Each structure stands twice: as structure tokens, then as C-alpha cells.
Amino acid sequence: MSRASEPALIAVDWGTTNVRAALIDGAGRVIAEAASDDGIGTVPAGGHAAAFARLVAGWPSVPAIMAGMVGSRQGWREAVYAACPASPADIAAGMLRMEGEDGRPIAIVPGVMVRSPDRDGDVIRGEETQIVGLLAAEPDFDGVVVLPGTHSKWATVTGGAIADFQTFLTGEVFGLLSRQSFLRHSVKDGEAELSALPDFALGVRRTVLDGLPFLAAIFSVRARQLLDGVAPEDNMAYLSGLVIGGEIAAARDTNRLWQGRALRIVGSRSLARAYARAFEIAGYEAEVRDGSHLVTAGLLDFARIAGLLASEASA
């Protein structure tokens, strides 16, 4: 076996609800993968080393690089945010380095922050690694990267660096409205994917094209049920369209983020499809990239910059 094909690195994406790891060889190829529900939100204080050991049991003691909430204040160790504008090298320079209980070198990728007197700043942790993975594949990319989720991020990328970004609490607001607000009586989960239903498109049009104010638009979910007898499953799709459309409209109306530039959507398949459909309805072209793949690609790039993983040529 050549050095390039031997295990050389463990890349870890450690979020709030779960953790995923990939064992990678010297050429950057994935040899094995593992996952568990030991997210940062469930691992007790002081239990991170044991959770990691369980995850990679039987794997060789090669260096590990980690991204996500593992570097938050609630994580294994806090990695201080790098400041925007932040290139991959800038972020890698801020990595927190430590040793595991078995002497394994471990590096935790820091998040990125924005200091802004007009909007009180912003932070990102985990998604920066996906953006770096995108830049590894498209080094000349200049545009906006949309990373949908519980807290959606819109990042402006230029000159090979994250220049700025803004967070929208889209997923969290959708969860609160559909499960805890009075609207829960007007919506219901169904078997169909929400973005595939006609009412999703109508919701997007209401907030993006028709200009219905978001706080007024969401009340229409209730009115549709009372006045028109709209089925709860269709209303759930409508609410999803309103919320995602509201995010797009807000970003479009913020000149700092929306300038008719190239768009990339990075996320899970179903959520990325929903955003791609919403952009299509709104009249904008956006290309979708797989978020899981880009996390691994970003961690690989960070590892090479930090000297944790030799390049294929030098392996």
C-alpha cells in the first residue's frame, strides 16, 4: 500500500444533534465513514472525548480535524471566531489545536464573525467549512452562497474569501409557527415534499413577487383555512413558501447581499431542492451543491493548509 492510500486524517462534522466522521487517506479519498447521535446538544460536559472515541473506535490514531458546534462554548473546546473578511488561510490560522487522550493531534476549525455597527454583528460556525469546500472546487467563485437551515446563512464570497454574511432564522421560525403558534391548528405534515405542492409556489409568490409583508402574510395561513377551507397539508406547504420567500425577499432588498451575482445553494437535498424551487419561482437562477460533500472537502482543504494532511504529490 502506498503512503497516499494509507489512512492519514479523520475529518469530523460535529453539530448540535449529530456527529459524522470520515477516515481519509493521504490523497484525500474517503476510506470509511461513521455517524452517531452524540451531538453537542446531548453530550454531557466532559463527555466529548468519550463520544469521539466511540465514534472512531477501531480507526487508526491519525490526526483529526473538526468543524461545527464542537468549537462553540457548549462544545469540546471553544475556538475563537475569525474576523471577516476571512480566507481559508485566515480561518486555518485560528484553529484551536490540542491533543486527544490517546495523544492524537486534534484541530478545531473556528467559526467566522462580522462586526457591524449598523446591524450588531453576526456569527457563523460550521457553514464556513462548506464555503471553503466550495472554494476548493470553484476557486474563482464570486457571488453569494446560501446555506439554508435552522439558521440560514447568506455569505458574500469574493477574492477567495468570505467577505460578509447575514443570518436568517428561517428554519427556527418555521418550526415555531407550525408547531407552537396558533397556526399549528391550520397546518399539518403530509407525505408529499412541501416544495412540490402548488401552495408552496403560491407562498413564495406572495412574499417575493407580490410584496405581501411577512408578518401579514403568515396570518393569511389562518385566513385560508377559515375562509377557503384549505387543507392543513396544503397550508403547511404555503407556510413553508411564505417563510422561505420572506427570506429571499429580505436578502434581495438588502443591497449588501443581493446584487444579481452568482448564487450557490449549499445544504441537505430536500431543503436545497426547496430553495432551488423558490429561487426559480422568484425568477433567479441558483445552482445546488451537496452540503455533506462540501464539509469533507472544506476540512480537507483546512487540513492541507494547516499541515495536517500532506498533498497527494508529496505523499
Side-chain angles (χ1 to χ4, degrees):
M1 182 183 291
S2 69
R3 285 185 57 197
S5 59
E6 294 176 353
L9 181 76
I10 295 175
V12 181
D13 177 16
W14 204 332
T16 301
T17 58
N18 54 64
V19 54
R20 297 184 303 109
L23 180 63
I24 296 170
D25 69 14
R29 295 180 290 255
V30 175
I31 300 171
E33 295 179 290
S36 82
D37 295 329
D38 285 327
I40 295 304
T42 59
V43 176
H48 302 90
F52 177 62
R54 289 192 299 271
L55 183 69
V56 300
W59 288 6
S61 187
V62 294
I65 185 167
M66 304 180 179
M69 293 303 288
V70 65
S72 69
R73 291 182 183 178
Q74 294 73 40
W76 192 344
R77 291 273 298 275
E78 184 177 6
V80 178
Y81 294 107
C84 269
S87 69
D90 294 330
I91 300 170
M95 283 182 184
L96 187 154
R97 303 212 185 206
M98 62 184 190
E99 281 193 359
E101 294 179 349
D102 57 356
R104 179 199 313 270
I106 295 175
I108 298 179
V109 177
V112 178
M113 67 176 177
V114 169
R115 291 287 192 183
S116 173
D118 60 342
R119 59 185 181 94
D120 303 315
D122 210 332
V123 295
I124 192 170
R125 194 181 289 279
E127 294 90 349
E128 77 291 326
T129 302
Q130 293 176 314
I131 296 171
V132 170
L134 175 68
L135 283 172
E138 300 182 59
D140 296 327
F141 176 74
D142 190 299
V144 176
V145 183
V146 181
L147 303 110
T150 303
H151 299 160
S152 293
K153 311 288 183 178
W154 288 58
T156 302
V157 177
T158 188
I162 302 171
D164 196 4
F165 61 88
Q166 188 161 24
T167 302
F168 297 84
L169 266 67
T170 308
E172 184 162 346
V173 167
F174 177 73
L176 291 171
L177 291 173
S178 61
R179 298 186 183 95
Q180 297 186 39
S181 80
F182 82 106
L183 294 181
R184 70 186 185 278
H185 304 298
S186 302
V187 300
K188 180 182 178 181
D189 284 318
E191 295 182 1
E193 189 167 314
L194 295 179
S195 62
L197 297 175
D199 292 82
F200 175 85
L202 177 61
V204 173
R205 288 197 295 271
R206 287 286 186 260
T207 46
V208 179
L209 301 178
D210 299 341
L212 191 62
F214 178 71
L215 293 179
I218 56 178
F219 186 81
S220 68
V221 175
R222 178 69 168 165
R224 279 161 46 94
Q225 181 197 33
L226 295 175
L227 302 180
D228 299 323
V230 174
E233 293 84 355
D234 292 331
N235 245 350
M236 182 72 91
Y238 178 71
L239 177 60
S240 176
L242 290 177
V243 174
I244 294 176
E247 175 186 333
I248 292 173
R252 176 199 60 198
D253 296 339
T254 304
N255 293 331
R256 185 181 47 78
L257 288 175
W258 193 278
Q259 302 175 31
R261 304 169 71 190
L263 287 167
R264 299 288 185 271
I265 303 169
V266 175
S268 63
R269 292 180 181 178
S270 61
L271 196 52
R273 282 196 299 269
Y275 272 71
R277 176 67 180 135
F279 275 113
E280 180 185 16
I281 294 163
Y284 300 104
E285 183 179 346
E287 297 182 18
V288 174
R289 299 289 184 267
D290 180 73
S292 297
H293 171 75
L294 291 186
V295 169
T296 302
L299 286 170
L300 273 168
D301 202 45
F302 280 137
R304 289 190 174 112
I305 293 170
L308 293 172
L309 179 68
S311 67
E312 186 172 3
S314 61

